[in-house]
Amino acid sequence: METSDLSFFEKNFPNAPIHKIGEDFLVADVYISKNSPFTIAYPIKFDGIITMFCSKGSLVLTIDLVDYLAEPDTFFVSVPGDIISLRKEESNKSNLHLHVMAISNRILDKLNLNRQYASLLFKYRMVKATGKYKDLIIAYRAILQSLAQLDHPNLEDSLCNILRSLYTESMFAWKELSPAIMPTTRNRDKSTIYDSFIKAVNTYHNKHHELSFYADQLNITAKHLSTTIKAFCGKTAAEILDSYILMEAKNLIKYTSKSVKQISDELGFSSQLSFYRFFLRHEGLTPTDYRKSE
């Protein structure tokens, strides 16, 4: 899947006040009126970390096929490799206000963060941030927004020092707040299988389209895999695998100039015709027509 950079935010939020530090850091205030449609239906993968704090309204944020409902005081973190799409919540009858921050992978490398630990810590991408944690998020955001309006030789070093502090505070906040949305003990085994399945699909979906392969990766039977995934999230394992392949196909069609044949090969289809049939069955359009659509 093609990876987006900070220009994605400027393109999709053209009227939002945006403050940047080079091409590696951005803070933005996104305001969407209650009468304005808003969606980023085409999935993206960002080369870094995105955080969003919702202070008003509601928004559906989809990360790796999991839907999260952003409501006032909810805080989201996406980690490198997440596939994201956004849409305005249909029942939302108020204005939407999001505070967005994006940090590139280059800055993350400079911070020397433990990426594996971060992925485990932010396994549940959303928390409800109230009280002291809400105040902390707002305070850090104000500092970073002010910093992004400065111009001096050591600006990036200042940014990294503040981000290290923010990361430390976020670790403590996430540990305290995330248990409220963790699965119950009864569902924890199903959650483990689901997480392992999603990780395997992320790694192998462009080479393997058969469920038996993923069951072998998890050392369980294909029947057990299908039953567990269905019980945990209401979708079959086959539906999730197809959705993941479709999500990447839509990204490659919309955000690259690769031919349909190249995309078909990249996604592991046996022929361009089989890819056409797969895409038409799920999307109701051919890949060519989808590329032309708005």
mmCIF file of all heavy atoms in Angstrom, residues 9-37:
data_model
loop_
_atom_site.group_PDB
_atom_site.id
_atom_site.type_symbol
_atom_site.label_atom_id
_atom_site.label_comp_id
_atom_site.label_asym_id
_atom_site.label_seq_id
_atom_site.Cartn_x
_atom_site.Cartn_y
_atom_site.Cartn_z
ATOM 1 N N PHE A 9 -2.803 15.913 4.481
ATOM 2 C CA PHE A 9 -3.650 16.720 5.362
ATOM 3 C C PHE A 9 -3.972 18.063 4.713
ATOM 4 O O PHE A 9 -5.097 18.552 4.798
ATOM 5 C CB PHE A 9 -2.957 16.920 6.708
ATOM 6 C CG PHE A 9 -2.712 15.643 7.456
ATOM 7 C CD1 PHE A 9 -1.511 14.960 7.320
ATOM 8 C CD2 PHE A 9 -3.691 15.102 8.268
ATOM 9 C CE1 PHE A 9 -1.288 13.773 7.995
ATOM 10 C CE2 PHE A 9 -3.477 13.914 8.949
ATOM 11 C CZ PHE A 9 -2.272 13.246 8.805
ATOM 12 N N GLU A 10 -2.992 18.650 4.061
ATOM 13 C CA GLU A 10 -3.219 19.936 3.409
ATOM 14 C C GLU A 10 -4.203 19.800 2.250
ATOM 15 O O GLU A 10 -5.014 20.689 2.007
ATOM 16 C CB GLU A 10 -1.889 20.504 2.918
ATOM 17 C CG GLU A 10 -0.928 20.814 4.060
ATOM 18 C CD GLU A 10 0.461 21.149 3.588
ATOM 19 O OE1 GLU A 10 1.117 20.274 2.990
ATOM 20 O OE2 GLU A 10 0.910 22.287 3.818
ATOM 21 N N LYS A 11 -4.152 18.681 1.570
ATOM 22 C CA LYS A 11 -5.059 18.435 0.440
ATOM 23 C C LYS A 11 -6.489 18.197 0.910
ATOM 24 O O LYS A 11 -7.447 18.709 0.327
ATOM 25 C CB LYS A 11 -4.569 17.237 -0.365
ATOM 26 C CG LYS A 11 -5.477 16.866 -1.535
ATOM 27 C CD LYS A 11 -4.942 15.648 -2.265
ATOM 28 C CE LYS A 11 -5.882 15.220 -3.395
ATOM 29 N NZ LYS A 11 -5.379 14.005 -4.097
ATOM 30 N N ASN A 12 -6.646 17.419 1.991
ATOM 31 C CA ASN A 12 -7.983 17.028 2.435
ATOM 32 C C ASN A 12 -8.611 18.006 3.428
ATOM 33 O O ASN A 12 -9.823 17.972 3.641
ATOM 34 C CB ASN A 12 -7.942 15.621 3.045
ATOM 35 C CG ASN A 12 -7.819 14.548 1.995
ATOM 36 O OD1 ASN A 12 -8.802 14.123 1.408
ATOM 37 N ND2 ASN A 12 -6.587 14.101 1.744
ATOM 38 N N PHE A 13 -7.793 18.860 4.039
ATOM 39 C CA PHE A 13 -8.316 19.874 4.956
ATOM 40 C C PHE A 13 -7.847 21.255 4.498
ATOM 41 O O PHE A 13 -7.121 21.952 5.225
ATOM 42 C CB PHE A 13 -7.854 19.609 6.392
ATOM 43 C CG PHE A 13 -8.142 18.220 6.889
ATOM 44 C CD1 PHE A 13 -7.120 17.411 7.353
ATOM 45 C CD2 PHE A 13 -9.434 17.710 6.883
ATOM 46 C CE1 PHE A 13 -7.377 16.122 7.818
ATOM 47 C CE2 PHE A 13 -9.704 16.435 7.346
ATOM 48 C CZ PHE A 13 -8.676 15.641 7.810
ATOM 49 N N PRO A 14 -8.235 21.672 3.298
ATOM 50 C CA PRO A 14 -7.683 22.910 2.723
ATOM 51 C C PRO A 14 -8.024 24.162 3.500
ATOM 52 O O PRO A 14 -7.300 25.159 3.416
ATOM 53 C CB PRO A 14 -8.299 22.938 1.310
ATOM 54 C CG PRO A 14 -9.557 22.123 1.431
ATOM 55 C CD PRO A 14 -9.226 21.039 2.416
ATOM 56 N N ASN A 15 -9.117 24.150 4.257
ATOM 57 C CA ASN A 15 -9.535 25.346 4.996
ATOM 58 C C ASN A 15 -9.140 25.315 6.470
ATOM 59 O O ASN A 15 -9.470 26.238 7.219
ATOM 60 C CB ASN A 15 -11.055 25.525 4.875
ATOM 61 C CG ASN A 15 -11.492 25.688 3.428
ATOM 62 O OD1 ASN A 15 -10.844 26.386 2.662
ATOM 63 N ND2 ASN A 15 -12.588 25.029 3.054
ATOM 64 N N ALA A 16 -8.458 24.257 6.879
ATOM 65 C CA ALA A 16 -8.084 24.129 8.286
ATOM 66 C C ALA A 16 -6.821 24.931 8.585
ATOM 67 O O ALA A 16 -5.880 24.926 7.781
ATOM 68 C CB ALA A 16 -7.858 22.661 8.636
ATOM 69 N N PRO A 17 -6.777 25.625 9.733
ATOM 70 C CA PRO A 17 -5.520 26.270 10.151
ATOM 71 C C PRO A 17 -4.467 25.195 10.417
ATOM 72 O O PRO A 17 -4.646 24.355 11.307
ATOM 73 C CB PRO A 17 -5.909 27.003 11.436
ATOM 74 C CG PRO A 17 -7.407 27.089 11.410
ATOM 75 C CD PRO A 17 -7.876 25.883 10.669
ATOM 76 N N ILE A 18 -3.396 25.200 9.628
ATOM 77 C CA ILE A 18 -2.353 24.178 9.726
ATOM 78 C C ILE A 18 -1.016 24.850 10.024
ATOM 79 O O ILE A 18 -0.644 25.834 9.383
ATOM 80 C CB ILE A 18 -2.261 23.354 8.429
ATOM 81 C CG1 ILE A 18 -3.505 22.472 8.265
ATOM 82 C CG2 ILE A 18 -1.004 22.484 8.418
ATOM 83 C CD1 ILE A 18 -3.537 21.664 6.980
ATOM 84 N N HIS A 19 -0.287 24.293 10.989
ATOM 85 C CA HIS A 19 1.051 24.781 11.315
ATOM 86 C C HIS A 19 2.015 23.601 11.173
ATOM 87 O O HIS A 19 1.779 22.526 11.725
ATOM 88 C CB HIS A 19 1.107 25.343 12.735
ATOM 89 C CG HIS A 19 0.135 26.464 12.968
ATOM 90 N ND1 HIS A 19 0.351 27.741 12.515
ATOM 91 C CD2 HIS A 19 -1.068 26.482 13.591
ATOM 92 C CE1 HIS A 19 -0.664 28.509 12.844
ATOM 93 N NE2 HIS A 19 -1.549 27.774 13.509
ATOM 94 N N LYS A 20 3.120 23.823 10.434
ATOM 95 C CA LYS A 20 4.069 22.750 10.147
ATOM 96 C C LYS A 20 5.469 23.116 10.604
ATOM 97 O O LYS A 20 5.820 24.292 10.690
ATOM 98 C CB LYS A 20 4.091 22.470 8.636
ATOM 99 C CG LYS A 20 2.812 21.916 8.064
ATOM 100 C CD LYS A 20 2.840 21.901 6.533
ATOM 101 C CE LYS A 20 3.980 21.078 5.990
ATOM 102 N NZ LYS A 20 3.985 21.053 4.511
ATOM 103 N N ILE A 21 6.244 22.086 10.884
ATOM 104 C CA ILE A 21 7.682 22.230 11.050
ATOM 105 C C ILE A 21 8.314 21.385 9.955
ATOM 106 O O ILE A 21 8.329 20.146 10.041
ATOM 107 C CB ILE A 21 8.155 21.797 12.449
ATOM 108 C CG1 ILE A 21 7.549 22.712 13.523
ATOM 109 C CG2 ILE A 21 9.683 21.809 12.528
ATOM 110 C CD1 ILE A 21 7.942 22.349 14.939
ATOM 111 N N GLY A 22 8.768 22.032 8.904
ATOM 112 C CA GLY A 22 9.301 21.317 7.750
ATOM 113 C C GLY A 22 8.254 20.398 7.150
ATOM 114 O O GLY A 22 7.075 20.742 7.079
ATOM 115 N N GLU A 23 8.681 19.223 6.747
ATOM 116 C CA GLU A 23 7.774 18.210 6.189
ATOM 117 C C GLU A 23 7.611 17.039 7.138
ATOM 118 O O GLU A 23 7.246 15.933 6.719
ATOM 119 C CB GLU A 23 8.297 17.720 4.833
ATOM 120 C CG GLU A 23 8.358 18.794 3.762
ATOM 121 C CD GLU A 23 6.991 19.447 3.519
ATOM 122 O OE1 GLU A 23 5.981 18.705 3.478
ATOM 123 O OE2 GLU A 23 6.942 20.683 3.389
ATOM 124 N N ASP A 24 7.871 17.294 8.441
ATOM 125 C CA ASP A 24 7.903 16.188 9.399
ATOM 126 C C ASP A 24 6.953 16.330 10.577
ATOM 127 O O ASP A 24 6.772 15.389 11.336
ATOM 128 C CB ASP A 24 9.328 16.016 9.944
ATOM 129 C CG ASP A 24 10.309 15.582 8.871
ATOM 130 O OD1 ASP A 24 10.177 14.440 8.400
ATOM 131 O OD2 ASP A 24 11.179 16.384 8.509
ATOM 132 N N PHE A 25 6.333 17.493 10.721
ATOM 133 C CA PHE A 25 5.435 17.687 11.868
ATOM 134 C C PHE A 25 4.342 18.675 11.484
ATOM 135 O O PHE A 25 4.587 19.665 10.786
ATOM 136 C CB PHE A 25 6.191 18.204 13.088
ATOM 137 C CG PHE A 25 5.310 18.459 14.276
ATOM 138 C CD1 PHE A 25 4.892 17.410 15.079
ATOM 139 C CD2 PHE A 25 4.871 19.744 14.570
ATOM 140 C CE1 PHE A 25 4.046 17.636 16.162
ATOM 141 C CE2 PHE A 25 4.037 19.981 15.644
ATOM 142 C CZ PHE A 25 3.626 18.919 16.440
ATOM 143 N N LEU A 26 3.142 18.383 11.986
ATOM 144 C CA LEU A 26 1.990 19.226 11.647
ATOM 145 C C LEU A 26 0.994 19.222 12.792
ATOM 146 O O LEU A 26 0.761 18.183 13.425
ATOM 147 C CB LEU A 26 1.346 18.689 10.365
ATOM 148 C CG LEU A 26 -0.009 19.188 9.878
ATOM 149 C CD1 LEU A 26 -0.089 19.060 8.349
ATOM 150 C CD2 LEU A 26 -1.156 18.401 10.502
ATOM 151 N N VAL A 27 0.415 20.381 13.085
ATOM 152 C CA VAL A 27 -0.754 20.469 13.961
ATOM 153 C C VAL A 27 -1.833 21.232 13.213
ATOM 154 O O VAL A 27 -1.545 22.185 12.477
ATOM 155 C CB VAL A 27 -0.441 21.169 15.309
ATOM 156 C CG1 VAL A 27 0.359 20.279 16.221
ATOM 157 C CG2 VAL A 27 0.271 22.491 15.086
ATOM 158 N N ALA A 28 -3.075 20.798 13.356
ATOM 159 C CA ALA A 28 -4.171 21.427 12.612
ATOM 160 C C ALA A 28 -5.442 21.408 13.432
ATOM 161 O O ALA A 28 -5.682 20.473 14.223
ATOM 162 C CB ALA A 28 -4.397 20.697 11.288
ATOM 163 N N ASP A 29 -6.260 22.421 13.241
ATOM 164 C CA ASP A 29 -7.617 22.466 13.788
ATOM 165 C C ASP A 29 -8.577 22.235 12.632
ATOM 166 O O ASP A 29 -8.599 23.025 11.681
ATOM 167 C CB ASP A 29 -7.919 23.826 14.423
ATOM 168 C CG ASP A 29 -7.450 23.906 15.855
ATOM 169 O OD1 ASP A 29 -7.651 22.932 16.582
ATOM 170 O OD2 ASP A 29 -6.867 24.930 16.226
ATOM 171 N N VAL A 30 -9.346 21.162 12.717
ATOM 172 C CA VAL A 30 -10.283 20.818 11.642
ATOM 173 C C VAL A 30 -11.700 21.104 12.112
ATOM 174 O O VAL A 30 -12.167 20.516 13.091
ATOM 175 C CB VAL A 30 -10.141 19.337 11.237
ATOM 176 C CG1 VAL A 30 -11.142 18.983 10.143
ATOM 177 C CG2 VAL A 30 -8.713 19.057 10.765
ATOM 178 N N TYR A 31 -12.372 22.009 11.418
ATOM 179 C CA TYR A 31 -13.752 22.361 11.722
ATOM 180 C C TYR A 31 -14.633 21.928 10.547
ATOM 181 O O TYR A 31 -14.381 22.297 9.408
ATOM 182 C CB TYR A 31 -13.916 23.877 11.918
ATOM 183 C CG TYR A 31 -13.121 24.456 13.060
ATOM 184 C CD1 TYR A 31 -11.839 24.950 12.848
ATOM 185 C CD2 TYR A 31 -13.663 24.530 14.341
ATOM 186 C CE1 TYR A 31 -11.107 25.503 13.894
ATOM 187 C CE2 TYR A 31 -12.929 25.081 15.387
ATOM 188 C CZ TYR A 31 -11.658 25.559 15.155
ATOM 189 O OH TYR A 31 -10.938 26.103 16.183
ATOM 190 N N ILE A 32 -15.654 21.136 10.838
ATOM 191 C CA ILE A 32 -16.619 20.717 9.823
ATOM 192 C C ILE A 32 -18.011 21.092 10.334
ATOM 193 O O ILE A 32 -18.416 20.662 11.415
ATOM 194 C CB ILE A 32 -16.570 19.194 9.555
ATOM 195 C CG1 ILE A 32 -15.136 18.738 9.242
ATOM 196 C CG2 ILE A 32 -17.519 18.823 8.425
ATOM 197 C CD1 ILE A 32 -14.570 19.255 7.958
ATOM 198 N N SER A 33 -18.748 21.889 9.561
ATOM 199 C CA SER A 33 -20.069 22.313 10.011
ATOM 200 C C SER A 33 -21.048 21.151 9.941
ATOM 201 O O SER A 33 -20.847 20.184 9.198
ATOM 202 C CB SER A 33 -20.589 23.476 9.156
ATOM 203 O OG SER A 33 -20.958 23.022 7.876
ATOM 204 N N LYS A 34 -22.122 21.244 10.726
ATOM 205 C CA LYS A 34 -23.090 20.151 10.805
ATOM 206 C C LYS A 34 -23.770 19.884 9.472
ATOM 207 O O LYS A 34 -24.283 18.784 9.243
ATOM 208 C CB LYS A 34 -24.138 20.458 11.870
ATOM 209 C CG LYS A 34 -24.941 21.727 11.619
ATOM 210 C CD LYS A 34 -25.904 21.997 12.760
ATOM 211 C CE LYS A 34 -26.672 23.290 12.568
ATOM 212 N NZ LYS A 34 -27.583 23.575 13.706
ATOM 213 N N ASN A 35 -23.774 20.870 8.576
ATOM 214 C CA ASN A 35 -24.435 20.710 7.279
ATOM 215 C C ASN A 35 -23.475 20.294 6.169
ATOM 216 O O ASN A 35 -23.891 20.103 5.030
ATOM 217 C CB ASN A 35 -25.124 22.020 6.879
ATOM 218 C CG ASN A 35 -26.202 22.431 7.867
ATOM 219 O OD1 ASN A 35 -26.956 21.590 8.342
ATOM 220 N ND2 ASN A 35 -26.257 23.716 8.195
ATOM 221 N N SER A 36 -22.196 20.157 6.502
ATOM 222 C CA SER A 36 -21.200 19.825 5.475
ATOM 223 C C SER A 36 -20.906 18.338 5.484
ATOM 224 O O SER A 36 -20.635 17.760 6.546
ATOM 225 C CB SER A 36 -19.901 20.598 5.720
ATOM 226 O OG SER A 36 -20.118 21.976 5.660
ATOM 227 N N PRO A 37 -20.944 17.692 4.328
ATOM 228 C CA PRO A 37 -20.541 16.287 4.264
ATOM 229 C C PRO A 37 -19.030 16.191 4.451
ATOM 230 O O PRO A 37 -18.282 17.103 4.086
ATOM 231 C CB PRO A 37 -20.956 15.863 2.853
ATOM 232 C CG PRO A 37 -20.907 17.124 2.055
ATOM 233 C CD PRO A 37 -21.321 18.223 3.002
#
